[in-house]
Structures are given as C-alpha cells and as structure tokens.
Amino acid sequence: MTRLRPAGQLSRQLRTFSSSSRLTAAANVQRLGVVGAGQMGLGIALVAAQKAQVPVTLVDNSEASLKKGIAFAEKLLAKDVSKSRITQEQADQARALLTPETSLEKLSDVDFVIEAVPEIAHLKFDIFSKLAQICPKHAILATNTSSISITRIAAATTKDPTDTSASSRVVSTHFMNPVPVQKGVEIISGLQTSQDTLDKAVEFCKAMGKIPSVSADSPGFLANRILMPYINEAVICLETGVGDRDSIDAIMKNGTNVPMGPLQLADFIGLDTCLAIMKVLHGETGDSKYRPSVLLGKMVDAGWLGKKSGKGFYDY
Ligand code: NAD
C-alpha cells in the first residue's frame, strides 16, 4: 500500500518541483537524451525525470544494459515510495517519462543530450560526431566524461575547426556517483563552448536539483584531479605493503569522516574508470606523481573491476 508523505514535506517537494520547472524552462529543455544506460547514465536519466520532470530518451546499444537499467530505475523508485520520499503517483510519472531505445537516431528531437558511455576517447569522439548530425541544431551536447578533454570531444563534432556551430554547443556535465544521492556536478567548458551553452548546462543541472561547480578544461577537472591520486595512493599503499585493505579503508573512513574508504570507493566507481582517469592525468601532464598503480592495472587486466563485475578489492 502507498504511504503518503506528511503534508509539509509534500508541499516542500511541490515547491521544489515548480522551481525545477522554471529552471528546466530557462534551460529550454522539452526533451532530454541520455546515451549509455550504465550506472551513471541511468542515474542521470532517472533524476532528470524525477526532479526536472522532462521526458528522457535513454539510448544504449546493448538491449541487456537497457533492460537492467530500467529494472534498476524501477527498483529505486519503489524504494523511494516505500520510504515515503515520493508517492506512488510520482513514481509512476517518473517511470513514464523514461523511453528506452537502442539507436542514436532516436535523439533527433532532443534539446539537450548527456553522453555517459564508457571512458574510451575514440568511442566518445565517434558518438559526438554522430550526435552533431542527428540532434537538432540548437541542442546542447553534454558529456559526463571523468577525464577526457572537452575541447577534444567538441573538436570531434566537425571536420572544419572554423565551423563552431556544433562544437560551441558541447559542454561537460560531470555528475557524481551515485547520481540520485550526490548533489555536486562539475560544469566544464571546452575552448569552443559558448557562454549560452555553459549557462544552459548550469540551469538544467539546477533543475535536476544539483549544485553546479564550474571548472576549467584541465586533466581530471577538479573532482578527479583531487580524488583519483588519493585512490591511486591507497592502492600503492596496498601493493607496497604499507597497510592491508581493511587498515587502509578503516583509517580513512574513521579518520576523515567519509562514508567509505578509498579502496571500497574505487570498487564503487569501477577500477577501469579509475585507471583510465589516472592514465589521462599522467599522460596529459607528464607528471610522475600521477603514475597509475601497477596493481590497479593488473586488477583491470584480470577483469576485477569492482562492484559492477562482482569482484574488486572486495567480493560482491
Ligand atoms: P558503465 O560501464 O556502467 O555504463 C556505460 C554504458 O554505455 C553501458 O550500459 C554500455 O552498454 C553503454 N554503451 C557502450 N557503448 C555504447 C554506444 N556506442 N552507444 C550507446 N551506449 C553504449 O559506465 P559508467 O560508470 O556509467 O560511466 C559512464 C561515463 O561516466 C564514463 O565516461 C565515466 O568516466 C563517467 N563517470 C563515471 C563515474 C563513476 O563513478 N562510475 C562518475 C562520474 C563520471
């Protein structure tokens, strides 16, 4: 049976919804596209449906990922209802706003698209060159990349660098994991990004209930420039025997008041993602302080990617 929220909470939520609608309108978003229905893309699509209340076309080239993603969204909505955070009607409305698709061609009517495919540069370049062709000429083309240069992604939209009609609409909306929980989002401009694009990205992220931080297109941006060397150093402490897994996680968890230690956090982010970001930091700065841990590379080689593959520093 559906439990209703106390009246005060509901009216607060309605106020949030109406201010979200104003922000969604300010960003001029009638329909959102999300590419990639993995842990980030699914979270982005769900929060956009719930908070910004926009219809979302969710594209993934894998039927299995789409099915898994939609089932996970339904589970999260059911949990919100059971905890009286939302009503059953609100859960049904949010679910109805999500349309799963397997073809990028279905993004021909979106005003804003957010790409969240794996952190592989050539894959993102290929998708952005296609999005520039498929999406309407006013659409904002955003990436959730953790580390790849926004300027390079924007450059992939055109063969003529003097034609900035598409590249000026490319921006990064770098959401944090898990998207339904973390309030922060980094908004990053490439060299080509227009002020209008940046403003719309900020407005739309606010409509999604997020708190944007604007940062420069520099390797790792802000969040990963700080977070990933911390995780990498924890793995180096493990591989060189400075401490075992539990000691490393316990001291950081209990000593710095964070919800989980760096090794568990790495498992949640995905060890492949962590390694990819360290490689970008190391490769683009040439600074040895960003050298990826050998153990991290070996674990990725073994397919031990953390929570998503069932094994990482912990077993799942
Ligand atoms: P993921 O592996 O969970 O999901 C990626 C999804 O993209 C999969 O469902 C896959 O089927 C789909 N995909 C692959 N190729 C595709 C294609 N050509 N067209 C459409 N869909 C395709 O990855 P994730 O953890 O959600 O990460 C996605 C992006 O978000 C990466 O750029 C990552 O760096 C970034 N990011 C990740 C985190 C994190 O904590 N995991 C945090 C912030 C940003």
Side-chain angles (χ1 to χ4, degrees):
M1 198 177 93
T2 307
R3 279 188 286 154
L4 286 175
R5 312 186 81 192
Q9 275 177 285
L10 265 182
S11 70
R12 259 199 310 281
Q13 189 171 50
L14 288 174
R15 278 202 302 276
T16 313
F17 278 163
S18 59
S19 82
S20 280
S21 312
R22 274 199 306 278
L23 288 161
T24 309
N28 208 9
V29 181
Q30 310 293 323
R31 176 170 281 276
L32 176 72
V34 174
V35 186
Q39 54 178 336
M40 296 306 292
L42 189 274
I44 293 165
L46 182 60
V47 173
Q50 278 194 277
K51 302 280 179 176
Q53 297 176 299
V54 286
V56 183
T57 306
L58 178 60
V59 176
D60 200 296
N61 63 354
S62 150
E63 284 269 10
S65 293
L66 269 180
K67 263 200 182 146
K68 194 172 149 199
I70 293 290
F72 188 56
E74 287 169 352
K75 197 172 141 194
L76 290 179
L77 287 169
K79 191 170 162 198
D80 276 354
V81 173
S82 75
K83 300 223 161 182
S84 303
R85 292 192 199 114
I86 56 171
T87 64
Q88 183 63 50
E89 193 190 356
Q90 286 168 334
D92 293 343
Q93 278 169 1
R95 170 63 190 88
L97 288 172
L98 301 176
T99 306
E101 297 285 358
T102 52
S103 164
L104 283 180
E105 304 292 329
K106 299 288 180 185
L107 298 173
S108 60
D109 62 348
V110 300
D111 307 295
F112 201 115
V113 59
I114 303 176
E115 164 277 316
V117 302
E119 191 74 348
I120 300 169
H122 67 82
L123 178 59
K124 294 197 190 270
F125 298 160
D126 180 52
I127 285 180
F128 273 79
S129 83
K130 289 180 178 144
L131 290 177
Q133 298 300 317
I134 295 166
C135 299
K137 297 299 170 212
H138 68 273
I140 305 296
L141 311 175
T143 172
N144 193 51
T145 180
S146 304
S147 59
I148 299 166
S149 154
I150 314 309
T151 302
R152 287 178 70 204
I153 292 177
T157 58
T158 177
K159 288 196 169 71
D160 173 6
T162 62
D163 174 10
T164 57
S165 57
S167 59
S168 64
R169 290 181 280 115
V170 175
V171 67
S172 170
T173 50
H174 179 216
F175 291 87
M176 307 287 136
N177 189 15
V179 184
V181 176
Q182 306 291 9
K183 288 262 175 230
V185 58
E186 282 186 292
I187 314 283
I188 304 131
S189 293
L191 213 53
Q192 310 91 327
T193 309
S194 70
Q195 186 64 43
D196 179 59
T197 299
L198 181 66
D199 292 345
K200 284 186 173 142
V202 167
E203 293 303 312
F204 187 61
C205 287
K206 284 187 186 166
M208 287 176 65
K210 301 301 177 196
I211 302 170
S213 289
V214 173
S215 65
D217 185 15
S218 171
F221 317 126
L222 272 181
N224 286 323
R225 170 88 168 256
I226 298 167
L227 179 65
M228 286 303 155
Y230 159 75
I231 287 177
N232 194 52
E233 200 59 36
V235 185
I236 292 174
C237 285
L238 182 68
E239 83 187 19
T240 55
V242 180
D244 65 15
R245 177 195 75 181
D246 292 346
S247 299
I248 292 167
D249 273 359
I251 189 61
M252 298 318 293
K253 185 175 167 192
N254 302 315
T256 64
N257 203 21
V258 287
M260 60 182 88
L263 300 175
Q264 190 183 4
L265 179 58
D267 274 359
F268 274 76
I269 293 169
L271 302 193
D272 52 342
T273 301
C274 295
L275 180 66
I277 298 168
M278 285 311 296
K279 282 183 174 166
V280 169
L281 284 173
H282 191 221
E284 291 199 9
T285 63
D287 192 330
S288 62
K289 77 177 178 183
Y290 297 122
R291 178 183 66 77
S293 143
V294 174
L295 176 62
L296 186 62
K298 278 191 190 161
M299 291 185 68
V300 172
D301 287 345
W304 299 347
L305 308 182
K307 189 164 182 277
K308 65 181 166 188
S309 71
K311 187 169 176 60
F313 294 106
Y314 295 79
D315 291 330
Y316 298 90

